[in-house]
């Protein structure tokens, strides 16, 4: 997403240069920025093959454990794959849980050694879904993050997923969480985009035809507009690590919902910074993004 620190970290990890990775991370002190860097680094292949060298070289540092643990969360989901549970093989589930347990042990160690840490705790919120932990434990993990950084972007996005009906919640819980966060969070946090994300979750579940009509309802469009006014369209909402994500969420919600003037504004801001989600919900993310951008541009020209 064009973030220089995340790009430098990923380059260092691809080169298997833990010293360069360390030098990047010691400069990233903002909790949201650090979480974004780790989220990006999770996509770098083969890190688990060599990252132990860093931990052995600097046993007093929590940074190698943090990189290894956060990366292992994505590594675990790679083992599971993206298919539905009914189409996922038993051996994939076993490897998924083995890797996720490995990740949690590392993240727990970081949290135990660093009382102020938020990144390990945020990734424990992500792991909560895969480990199928109970509601009390999932909420405890989330509370540990927001007690240290109230508007943590990654933790909120992951807790929204936990509260979705497709995981361990319901539509009512999902919207209550999204709307409460949107009402309380400062516009600069961008967390009001959780409202758009929640509506896209409903859209994703509906049958073809019904899905678009849902987003085109007047009350849905009005709520998405209000959420945008308190985040991506607010003057205090600037560019931070991961800033394209909320803009892409609103672009899709506006475009599919028929609010093309609002969508066009988001597409102009995004430029070519297309994100995998939410566009991958409808197929190849780049093709879907281009299709809707072209349709919106033609309609407002």
């Amino acid at each position: 997403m064009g973030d220089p620190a995340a790009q430098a970290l990923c380059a260092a990890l691809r080169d298997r240069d833990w010293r360069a990775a360390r030098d990047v991370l010691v400069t990233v002190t903002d909790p949201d920025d650090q979480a974004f860097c780790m989220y990006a680094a999770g996509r770098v292949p083969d890190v688990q093959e060599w990252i132990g060298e860093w931990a052995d070289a600097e046993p007093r540092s929590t940074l190698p454990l943090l990189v290894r643990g956060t990366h292992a969360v994505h590594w675990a989901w790679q083992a599971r794959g993206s298919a539905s549970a009914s189409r996922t093989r038993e051996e994939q589930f076993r490897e998924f849980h083995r890797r996720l347990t490995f990740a949690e042990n590392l993240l727990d160690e970081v949290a135990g050694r660093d009382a102020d840490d938020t990144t390990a705790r945020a990734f424990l919120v992500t792991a909560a879904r895969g480990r199928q932990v109970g509601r009390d434990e999932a909420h405890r993990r989330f509370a540990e993050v927001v007690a240290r950084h109230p508007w943590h972007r990654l933790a909120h996005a992951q807790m929204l997923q936990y509260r979705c009906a497709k995981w361990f919640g319901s539509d009512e819980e999902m919207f209550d969480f999204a709307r409460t966060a949107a009402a309380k969070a400062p516009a600069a946090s961008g967390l009001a985009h959780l409202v758009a994300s929640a509506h896209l979750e409903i859209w994703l579940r509906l049958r073809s035809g019904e899905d678009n009509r849902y987003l085109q309802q007047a009350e849905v469009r009005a709520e998405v507009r209000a959420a945008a006014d308190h985040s991506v369209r607010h003057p205090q909402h600037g560019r931070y690590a991961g800033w394209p994500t909320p803009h892409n969420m609103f672009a899709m919600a506006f475009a599919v919902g028929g609010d093309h003037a609002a969508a066009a504004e988001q597409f102009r801001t995004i430029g070519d910074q297309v994100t995998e989600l939410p566009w991958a919900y409808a197929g190849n993310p780049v093709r879907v993004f281009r299709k809707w951008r072209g349709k919106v541009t033609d309609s407002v020209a």
Side-chain angles (χ1 to χ4, degrees):
M1 298 187 204
D3 182 69
Q7 289 175 335
L9 175 62
C10 290
L13 295 176
R14 282 193 294 269
D15 292 340
R16 302 190 175 200
D17 185 346
W18 63 261
R19 292 175 179 83
R22 177 199 59 200
D23 291 346
V24 172
L25 285 172
V26 294
T27 70
V28 182
T29 57
D30 178 83
D32 287 307
D33 291 351
Q34 187 184 74
F36 178 79
C37 279
M38 296 302 187
Y39 177 85
R43 275 68 183 161
V44 178
D46 305 325
V47 168
Q48 297 300 326
E49 294 181 1
W50 62 270
I51 194 67
E53 299 172 12
W54 184 4
D56 292 341
E58 297 189 326
R60 293 186 178 183
S61 174
T62 58
L63 277 180
L65 303 179
L66 185 62
V67 174
R68 196 176 193 179
T70 55
H71 185 277
V73 173
H74 181 72
W75 186 49
W77 250 277
Q78 282 184 313
R80 185 199 182 281
S82 57
S84 64
S86 62
R87 296 183 179 181
T88 303
R89 299 190 307 275
E90 185 61 33
E91 56 266 31
Q92 287 177 274
F93 277 121
R94 282 198 298 269
E95 184 62 12
F96 173 56
H97 288 295
R98 185 190 73 81
R99 293 181 182 184
L100 209 52
T101 300
F102 174 73
E104 285 192 319
N105 289 340
L106 289 163
L107 298 172
D108 281 336
E109 183 174 352
V110 174
R113 289 170 56 180
D114 185 352
D116 296 326
D117 164 83
T118 55
T119 302
R121 291 173 169 88
F123 276 81
L124 284 168
V125 176
T126 305
R129 285 184 288 127
R131 292 278 286 157
Q132 300 182 10
V133 306
R135 298 165 67 85
D136 289 347
E137 171 61 13
H139 295 164
R140 183 197 68 78
R141 295 183 185 195
F142 177 72
E144 288 286 325
V145 182
V146 297
R148 293 162 174 80
H149 188 58
W151 313 120
H152 198 285
R153 295 185 183 104
L154 178 65
H156 276 82
Q158 293 301 317
M159 196 59 189
L160 180 75
Q161 285 297 307
Y162 186 93
R163 295 195 180 197
C164 288
K166 67 184 180 185
W167 285 101
F168 305 106
S170 64
D171 292 346
E172 292 75 17
E173 284 187 53
M174 173 182 68
F175 275 112
D176 179 65
F177 181 78
R179 288 163 177 158
T180 299
K184 292 182 177 180
S189 73
L191 286 183
H193 90 274
L194 296 173
V195 172
S197 299
H199 283 298
L200 287 170
E201 287 290 338
I202 301 296
W203 171 87
L204 180 63
R205 196 179 66 218
L206 295 173
R207 292 180 296 181
S208 179
E210 293 179 2
D211 50 3
N212 291 1
R213 285 196 294 273
Y214 170 80
L215 289 177
Q216 291 162 7
Q217 295 179 92
E219 60 271 26
V220 173
R221 289 173 55 160
E223 185 170 32
V224 173
R225 285 193 206 104
D229 288 342
H230 192 56
S231 56
V232 295
R233 299 203 295 204
H234 196 281
Q236 292 179 4
H237 186 268
R239 297 204 170 182
Y240 44 78
W243 67 266
T245 294
H247 287 281
N248 277 265
M249 286 290 180
F250 280 108
M252 185 171 185
F254 282 139
V256 180
D259 200 344
H260 287 181
E265 178 186 28
Q266 295 307 306
F267 281 120
R268 286 192 295 270
T269 301
I270 292 166
D272 289 331
Q273 294 283 4
V274 56
T275 55
E276 181 179 5
L277 295 178
W279 307 103
Y281 289 156
N284 178 282
V286 173
R287 285 200 293 268
V288 175
F289 175 88
R290 285 175 168 166
K291 181 192 81 171
W292 279 106
R293 184 171 64 178
K295 185 174 182 178
V296 164
T297 300
D298 290 344
S299 71
V300 300

